[in-house]
Amino acid sequence: MFRRSSRRTDDLLAGKPASYGIHRYLQGSSNLFEENRLLKVAVAGLFGITAVLGTLIYTSNQNTRTVVVPFGAGGDLYVTGSKPSEAYLRTITRNIVSLSGTYSAYSADRQFQELLSITHPSAYNSLRDSLNRLLDELADNPTLSIATYIRPDQPVTWTDREILVPVEKVRVIGGVIRKFRGNLRIRFRVDNGRFWLIALSEENFDANPR
């Protein structure tokens, strides 16, 4: 088989100058080089198109707006990508302050369970243990009640990761009333249009007996 091919090549080159064979070799190599270059260009173009489509899909997802309107609520409550609107943040802030800061021995367990329902799985155990300690305190002091209000004289500030809320807390036990002022720091994250609570911490509280 190989001999026949070699003989055919010899027949084609018979009577031709030596430069003819070199020319044919160079021409074949040139064609192969052009094919390889076209293939590389096609592959590069495919990768480019894929990158552009990926960017468009990502941008579209980030700009997707999830509208959340609870029953009886008003205002622009929505999440665009991972960014909640200001009205959404104000509403969720009021809810968290109410659930975590205004309770009694009769209402605390139900409220804390509702608070845990919006807690991120990575922070669930830590916050649950903290709330359980409050339940234990209420069990030992059934007349204890707490009321927490957002202070109107101080601004609520937020970033894309946390909310700082100036609050006033009123603690009542055995007929004794004490007022506290400080800040409630709410750490959160938003994934796929859903708000997740990460942590709650009280800061710079000063007690004023009354």
Side-chain angles (χ1 to χ4, degrees), residues 28-67:
S29 299
S30 177
N31 291 338
L32 182 61
F33 176 79
E34 288 295 331
E35 291 175 0
N36 289 339
R37 187 170 65 178
L38 289 174
L39 180 60
K40 291 178 180 179
V41 171
V43 171
L46 181 61
F47 276 113
I49 293 172
T50 302
V52 171
L53 290 177
T55 301
L56 290 175
I57 293 173
Y58 175 79
T59 303
S60 176
N61 288 337
Q62 289 298 105
N63 291 329
T64 299
R65 176 173 294 185
T66 302
V67 180

Side-chain angles (χ1 to χ4, degrees), residues 108-123:
D109 185 63
R110 175 183 53 80
Q111 291 180 214
F112 292 169
Q113 289 299 323
E114 188 172 349
L115 193 64
L116 288 172
S117 69
I118 63 170
T119 301
H120 193 270
S122 64

Side-chain angles (χ1 to χ4, degrees), residues 7-160:
R7 186 179 304 162
R8 183 179 302 171
T9 302
D10 291 341
D11 292 341
L12 290 172
L13 294 176
K16 303 290 185 180
S19 60
Y20 177 78
I22 297 174
H23 174 74
R24 282 178 57 84
Y25 174 78
L26 293 177
Q27 185 178 16
S29 299
S30 177
N31 291 338
L32 182 61
F33 176 79
E34 288 295 331
E35 291 175 0
N36 289 339
R37 187 170 65 178
L38 289 174
L39 180 60
K40 291 178 180 179
V41 171
V43 171
L46 181 61
F47 276 113
I49 293 172
T50 302
V52 171
L53 290 177
T55 301
L56 290 175
I57 293 173
Y58 175 79
T59 303
S60 176
N61 288 337
Q62 289 298 105
N63 291 329
T64 299
R65 176 173 294 185
T66 302
V67 180
V68 183
V69 183
F71 179 77
D76 296 326
L77 306 182
Y78 61 82
V79 178
T80 302
S82 60
K83 184 176 177 60
S85 67
E86 291 187 7
Y88 185 99
L89 286 176
R90 284 194 296 268
T91 300
I92 200 71
T93 296
R94 286 194 296 268
N95 289 340
I96 291 175
V97 170
S98 176
L99 290 173
S100 66
T102 300
Y103 55 84
S104 65
Y106 303 100
S107 65
D109 185 63
R110 175 183 53 80
Q111 291 180 214
F112 292 169
Q113 289 299 323
E114 188 172 349
L115 193 64
L116 288 172
S117 69
I118 63 170
T119 301
H120 193 270
S122 64
Y124 185 91
N125 291 337
S126 176
L127 185 58
R128 181 196 58 193
D129 293 343
S130 177
L131 295 176
N132 281 340
R133 286 192 290 271
L134 292 178
L135 290 176
D136 291 339
E137 183 181 359
L138 289 168
D140 295 335
N141 302 280
T143 62
L144 172 64
S145 63
I146 303 289
T148 303
Y149 309 96
I150 299 176
R151 293 175 58 184
D153 60 324
Q154 297 290 328
V156 176
T157 58
W158 57 77
T159 68
D160 59 348

